[in-house]
Amino acid sequence: MQSIRTVVLALVLMLAPVAAQACSPVPGYIRPSNFELVQIADAIVVARPISERGGAIESRVRFRVEQVLKGQAAPEIEVPWFRLGRAFPSDPGVLAFSHPEGHAGSCNRTTLSTKASYILFLAKTADGYAQLGFPFSRVSEDYAGEGALWTRTIRTYLKIQSAAAPMAQLTELDALRAAIAAQPSRTRDEAALAQDIADHLGSISPWKPTEFLMEAYAGHAAGRPPRYPPRRAAFDEEQSEAQAMTGAMMSLLGVEPPAPRPDPFKDRLIAVLLAGDHPGAMPLFEPFARPEASPADLALAIRFFAKNGRLREAYQLIETRVAPLMTTASREDFFTLAWAVSEALQDPLDGEGRPRWRDDAYSAARWPRLALELTKLSQRRFDEDLRFEESLKSLLTGDYRADPALTLTLSGRDQAISDWADQELAKRENLAASAGQGPEAPLLLPLRIRLRWEGVGGDDIAPLAAVFCQGPVQRRMLFEAWGEFGGWMSDKALLRLAASPAMEAGDRQALAAALPAWDKRYAAQMGESRVTGDPTMQKLAQGLPITARDIKPRKPVSCPRP
């Protein structure tokens, strides 16, 4: 009989398309409360869709603005990521849950109708407005009139935010919640509003006042309970059938959720102080840079310092303490520090802003070279790159051979380098000049680049075949480079070369010698050896010949007769 694990695995595969529809925010995602959505939005409008343009990937809907509740908006606006279609309305009596479409794969509702009006929460962009992009949030609910619960709640929150300072807003909200609770009888709408306020008061989020978060941190350290009861954890999750089904299946398969942290409340407070705009929390983060600080604490310090006006100090910590630590740190500590360095120095908007290191003359003069050294260290210790490519590209010149290590590191992230490598592999003078030149062979750098990314993005191996067919010296150079630099997806190309009738005994010996190093990298990526259990790979590991029959349905490389 099949084991339950096998049966469940089959169900996982069968239902994968359903589970794949589930929206998956980053771990630790915090959904803004409704009060915070009102606070965060640049504009809140009541608008009716007019028309749609664009394709399925990025459709845009044009709206006629009927009311502006917050901010400013033109009489007509165009908003991306919406589409027109058959839409069913929001539940007018619900505040705790957003439209179901957002809980079925898209993170937020995207389908609207020209027959209805909607309350849109908008963020400013370079060319207009976009939907406020917080998953599972009430950013595009139906407008059900001025007397509707959602409309009245938004107006209540706008009034409180316009009249009181942040800490006073919390006091006023708590008083409103208490007044509703004190009533001998409450309407359904009043109960929903009271619970919505309680959810806001009980959230630990980046949008809370710094004073509130610092008070919560100090109280927690002293063993005092939070000022307000914490809101339920499910508030931040998709809460869909697909999510529940996936979790149940993973549990049956023995895939356990991450182990609980020793102090999750403290961790969350630190995380939200880092994520939000809280320069006043500097006294809390300064001790994380103490001389005896752990790598995890040091990572927190450099991230906070860099974000809050102390970039030079953050860089000096990276140069004098983090970089030396990384030479001997465990894998976990190494990548904790590397991620913190990247967040501290590089573009905080991930390509849409300016890298921080460029704004400090000291850091700008030194960081790119240090980024390259740390990347080399990561490659040596863990055979992995670091995500410093934006910094490394500042070192590139027009001569890709001037710094081979830099060129090789950036090769998979700069198409111009890949194109250059293929062109160099096709030059007759390079093919002919390679014999006997050792490390200076002009084929080596482009060959390493090609092999490192072979199999990514296509099956065309013509550039490698040209080197392979040049002769035994070039073949052995290719196999040695493959052993040292070949990517984990390059095995298909390797098999086509190895099955070629052009292979000689010396070629097979060179390939057998190169295979263990490549297989070690493959196992690190895939969790298992490519050679173990594969008869064809085992033949190659023993220096034995393989033929077209061994690699079906692929075809061996055929070299032209000399």
Side-chain angles (χ1 to χ4, degrees):
M1 291 181 61
Q2 290 179 304
S3 69
I4 188 170
R5 182 180 178 88
T6 302
V7 173
V8 173
L9 180 58
L11 284 171
V12 170
L13 294 174
M14 181 177 68
L15 295 171
V18 176
Q21 295 291 325
C23 175
S24 300
V26 296
Y29 167 66
I30 297 172
R31 175 159 72 98
S33 67
N34 290 329
F35 187 85
E36 288 164 340
L37 284 179
V38 173
Q39 171 188 326
I40 297 164
D42 294 314
I44 305 173
V45 302
V46 177
R48 182 177 290 260
I50 303 172
S51 60
E52 176 187 0
R53 70 179 180 90
I57 295 178
E58 187 181 352
S59 60
R60 305 174 73 91
V61 167
R62 191 162 192 83
F63 294 86
R64 179 179 296 111
V65 175
E66 298 174 337
Q67 289 188 64
V68 177
L69 307 183
K70 178 185 177 181
Q72 297 179 331
E76 291 188 0
I77 58 174
E78 188 175 71
V79 185
W81 308 114
F82 283 119
R83 64 185 182 90
L84 298 180
R86 185 177 180 182
F88 58 91
S90 310
D91 185 336
V94 169
L95 292 178
F97 207 66
S98 60
H99 192 279
E101 185 183 0
H103 298 258
S106 59
C107 285
N108 283 316
R109 179 189 201 175
T110 59
T111 308
L112 307 178
S113 169
T114 56
K115 298 178 181 179
S117 297
Y118 302 89
I119 302 181
L120 305 180
F121 285 66
L122 303 172
K124 286 183 180 178
T125 65
D127 58 352
Y129 282 110
Q131 183 187 74
L132 202 62
F134 293 98
F136 323 134
S137 295
R138 296 180 59 81
V139 292
S140 52
E141 303 298 319
D142 286 69
Y143 174 67
E146 284 301 299
L149 173 62
W150 183 223
T151 310
R152 289 186 288 112
T153 298
I154 293 170
R155 290 196 181 279
T156 297
Y157 290 166
L158 283 169
K159 181 178 179 180
I160 291 172
Q161 289 173 11
S162 66
M167 287 297 288
Q169 292 171 17
L170 298 178
T171 302
E172 188 169 342
L173 284 168
D174 195 26
L176 176 57
R177 181 203 59 76
I180 296 172
Q183 295 176 9
S185 61
R186 296 180 295 279
T187 66
R188 177 185 171 187
D189 284 2
E190 288 172 335
L193 176 60
Q195 183 58 55
D196 197 60
I197 293 171
D199 282 339
H200 171 67
L201 294 175
S203 73
I204 298 297
S205 78
W207 306 280
K208 282 291 195 299
T210 305
E211 182 181 346
F212 172 85
L213 296 172
M214 294 289 282
E215 176 189 290
Y217 190 93
H220 180 70
R224 296 192 297 272
R227 179 191 289 199
Y228 305 111
R231 75 181 182 190
R232 55 199 173 88
F235 192 93
D236 300 318
E237 299 171 355
E238 184 180 28
Q239 305 178 60
S240 71
E241 292 181 2
Q243 180 193 43
M245 184 184 300
T246 302
M249 290 188 295
M250 291 299 102
S251 179
L252 284 171
L253 282 171
V255 179
E256 298 297 330
R261 302 279 296 175
D263 193 342
F265 190 77
K266 175 184 175 182
D267 290 345
R268 183 162 180 136
L269 282 165
I270 291 172
V272 301
L273 286 166
L274 271 167
D277 184 17
H278 300 289
M282 188 65 73
L284 189 153
F285 283 86
E286 284 174 329
F288 292 142
R290 63 195 183 279
E292 69 278 12
S294 68
D297 282 356
L298 194 54
L300 294 174
I302 63 173
R303 289 170 60 198
F304 194 85
F305 288 4
K307 183 180 179 181
N308 292 284
R310 291 167 66 170
L311 177 62
R312 173 75 61 88
E313 188 174 348
Y315 180 76
Q316 289 172 336
L317 286 172
I318 292 167
E319 194 171 59
T320 61
R321 293 177 58 188
V322 171
L325 263 178
M326 291 173 75
T327 61
T328 57
S330 68
R331 180 185 181 87
E332 180 180 359
D333 287 343
F334 182 96
F335 287 104
T336 295
L337 290 168
W339 180 73
V341 169
S342 179
E343 184 175 293
L345 296 182
Q346 300 196 124
D347 177 7
L349 300 180
D350 196 23
E352 298 182 10
R354 177 178 171 83
R356 289 196 183 108
W357 63 269
R358 291 185 181 272
D359 292 330
D360 176 68
Y362 182 85
S363 304
R366 303 169 70 91
W367 163 241
R369 278 290 160 193
L370 179 57
L372 181 58
E373 292 307 312
L374 292 178
T375 300
K376 291 178 182 178
L377 178 64
S378 181
Q379 291 167 346
R380 286 197 305 272
R381 295 197 62 200
F382 304 107
D383 196 35
E384 290 189 31
D385 285 342
L386 298 178
R387 297 303 303 270
F388 294 160
E389 58 265 23
E390 175 274 325
S391 301
L392 298 180
K393 284 181 179 180
S394 69
L395 298 172
L396 272 181
T397 68
D399 181 5
Y400 291 142
R401 295 187 185 275
D403 192 333
L406 174 65
T407 300
L408 186 61
T409 295
L410 287 173
S411 57
R413 296 173 176 86
D414 191 325
Q415 186 60 43
I417 295 176
S418 299
D419 293 343
W420 171 84
D422 284 352
Q423 292 164 9
E424 291 295 296
L425 291 177
K427 289 182 178 178
R428 291 186 178 275
E429 60 270 27
N430 287 347
L431 290 168
S434 293
Q437 293 191 11
E440 302 303 319
L443 276 184
L444 270 182
L445 178 59
L447 192 56
R448 289 168 173 173
I449 291 169
R450 178 74 197 204
L451 287 167
R452 190 173 187 220
W453 301 103
E454 185 60 45
V456 178
D459 296 324
D460 179 18
I461 66 167
L464 293 181
V467 176
F468 177 87
C469 292
Q470 185 67 20
V473 171
Q474 286 77 10
R475 283 196 288 276
R476 289 159 204 177
M477 182 189 303
L478 187 157
F479 292 140
E480 289 171 6
W482 178 75
E484 190 175 1
F485 294 96
W488 63 277
M489 295 179 66
S490 62
D491 52 331
K492 300 177 182 64
L494 184 279
L495 289 170
R496 292 185 61 193
L497 297 173
S500 171
M503 287 284 286
E504 300 174 353
D507 304 332
R508 288 190 285 272
Q509 291 172 5
L511 177 52
L515 193 53
W518 176 85
D519 194 49
K520 182 179 179 181
R521 288 197 303 279
Y522 180 92
Q525 288 285 342
M526 303 300 292
E528 61 183 4
S529 166
R530 177 73 170 84
V531 175
T532 303
D534 186 321
T536 301
M537 282 292 195
Q538 288 176 9
K539 284 184 181 181
L540 296 180
Q542 297 169 38
L544 299 175
I546 64 171
T547 66
R549 181 179 300 177
D550 294 302
I551 66 167
K552 284 183 177 181
R554 300 179 187 88
K555 296 181 179 180
V557 167
S558 178
C559 295
R561 293 182 179 275

